[in-house]
Amino acid sequence: MAPGLYADIGKKTRDLLYKDYNTHQKFSVTTCSPHGVAITAAGTRKNESIFGELQTQIKNKKLTVDVKANSESDLLTTITVDEFGTSGLKSILSLVVPDQRSGKLELQYLHEFAGVNASIGLNPNPMVNFSGVFGSKALSVGVDVSFDTATSNFTKYNAALSLTNPDLIASLHLNNHGDTMVASYYHLVKHHSGTAVGAELSHSFSRNESTLIFGSQHSLDPHTTVKARFNNYGMASALVQHQWRPKSFVTISGEVDTKAIEKSTKVGLSLVLKH
């Protein structure tokens, strides 16, 4: 099986430790038509500020057009073509209006033993990015490089290693020009209940600082999942997510600094409705 793309390395652990944790109020409603049109209205309240977003997606066979407008008057248009000329190749064209220099062309290719992603900005001095993963589903290595043609400098060069078996996934990343090392693991303990544990250790060589975070999840029933996490700085978080109808979720999450419980508790609510 294909090793996937560079962004897939360590994704299981990141989803376990970070996905759906929220200390704000979020609301999202999606309406889908039988003709491949989906309209999503979303809003987020952070402190005293409210941010809105309206998204329209149109799918027709191998072509997907995605138009997203937000409360900051930005309009993001993304055009995706699957199986672009050959099997496994995907092309993505994106543009943010009114930023005329934001255009980007991206190509993704998935092969049995490789996954490649390349992109270039559509402006006179573009940023060029290349990432590749080589190996198999069980063992793979990857690189992620960005080159700024305006300054002729490499702005990013990262590397990663992934080891996968049916119950355990381990990965190692070297980021920030080799200054940061991130090691992570994900262990599926019980298949029938979705019980899993994971951890991530991040170390900065220049600052000589480390961050360690543990997390776990468990399904109380086929529609309800609980998660919890804790890091070495005393920050603890937990959430409960319930699927009350197909593809519709309500999530309640909280975060507390165990070293200052009386003044640091934060609670977030997220509601996703799709019909």
Side-chain angles (χ1 to χ4, degrees), residues 30-40 55-68 76-82:
T30 301
T31 301
C32 303
S33 79
H35 305 292
V37 179
I39 299 176
T40 301
Q55 178 180 2
T56 300
Q57 185 180 84
I58 302 173
K59 289 186 177 182
N60 184 10
K61 296 181 180 179
K62 299 179 181 180
L63 176 67
T64 302
V65 179
D66 200 315
V67 181
K68 186 184 300 183
L76 171 61
T77 301
T78 305
I79 301 173
T80 304
V81 181
D82 291 314

Side-chain angles (χ1 to χ4, degrees), residues 123-163:
N123 55 67
N125 298 298
M127 184 75 72
V128 180
N129 180 265
F130 172 85
S131 64
V133 179
F134 308 93
S136 65
K137 188 68 175 179
L139 178 63
S140 60
V141 294
V143 293
D144 183 19
V145 180
S146 290
F147 182 76
D148 188 350
T149 60
T151 61
S152 298
N153 291 323
F154 285 97
T155 59
K156 177 175 65 174
Y157 40 89
N158 302 329
L161 171 70
S162 177
L163 176 65

Side-chain angles (χ1 to χ4, degrees), residues 182-237:
V182 180
S184 65
Y185 90 95
Y186 171 92
H187 182 206
L188 182 60
V189 180
K190 294 182 179 179
H191 288 267
H192 66 277
S193 63
T195 303
V197 296
E200 180 184 84
L201 173 63
S202 177
H203 178 74
S204 172
F205 295 103
S206 61
R207 300 193 306 269
N208 195 28
E209 293 179 354
S210 296
T211 300
L212 178 62
I213 179 170
F214 289 99
S216 64
Q217 70 176 24
H218 175 74
S219 295
L220 300 177
D221 58 51
H223 305 290
T224 308
T225 300
V226 294
K227 296 172 65 175
R229 67 181 184 185
F230 185 81
N231 69 19
N232 59 316
Y233 294 106
M235 299 299 297
S237 305

Side-chain angles (χ1 to χ4, degrees), residues 19-193:
K19 186 178 180 181
D20 296 322
Y21 284 101
N22 171 47
T23 57
H24 309 293
Q25 288 74 50
K26 294 184 177 182
F27 180 77
S28 172
V29 178
T30 301
T31 301
C32 303
S33 79
H35 305 292
V37 179
I39 299 176
T40 301
T44 302
R45 180 179 179 181
K46 297 181 179 180
N47 299 322
E48 299 302 320
S49 301
I50 299 177
F51 305 91
E53 188 175 87
L54 182 63
Q55 178 180 2
T56 300
Q57 185 180 84
I58 302 173
K59 289 186 177 182
N60 184 10
K61 296 181 180 179
K62 299 179 181 180
L63 176 67
T64 302
V65 179
D66 200 315
V67 181
K68 186 184 300 183
N70 60 31
S71 54
E72 297 178 349
S73 300
D74 293 327
L75 185 66
L76 171 61
T77 301
T78 305
I79 301 173
T80 304
V81 181
D82 291 314
E83 307 296 330
F84 184 63
T86 185
S87 177
L89 181 63
K90 177 189 293 187
S91 66
I92 304 170
L93 176 65
S94 60
L95 176 67
V96 179
V97 178
D99 186 359
Q100 299 179 357
R101 298 175 59 86
S102 64
K104 184 174 71 171
L105 177 63
E106 183 177 352
L107 294 176
Q108 295 180 0
Y109 180 63
L110 290 175
H111 183 267
E112 183 179 2
F113 300 109
V116 177
N117 188 101
S119 65
I120 184 171
L122 302 180
N123 55 67
N125 298 298
M127 184 75 72
V128 180
N129 180 265
F130 172 85
S131 64
V133 179
F134 308 93
S136 65
K137 188 68 175 179
L139 178 63
S140 60
V141 294
V143 293
D144 183 19
V145 180
S146 290
F147 182 76
D148 188 350
T149 60
T151 61
S152 298
N153 291 323
F154 285 97
T155 59
K156 177 175 65 174
Y157 40 89
N158 302 329
L161 171 70
S162 177
L163 176 65
T164 304
N165 66 39
D167 298 322
L168 179 66
I169 302 174
S171 65
L172 182 67
H173 283 78
L174 198 59
N175 300 329
N176 299 330
H177 297 194
D179 180 64
T180 304
M181 182 179 68
V182 180
S184 65
Y185 90 95
Y186 171 92
H187 182 206
L188 182 60
V189 180
K190 294 182 179 179
H191 288 267
H192 66 277
S193 63

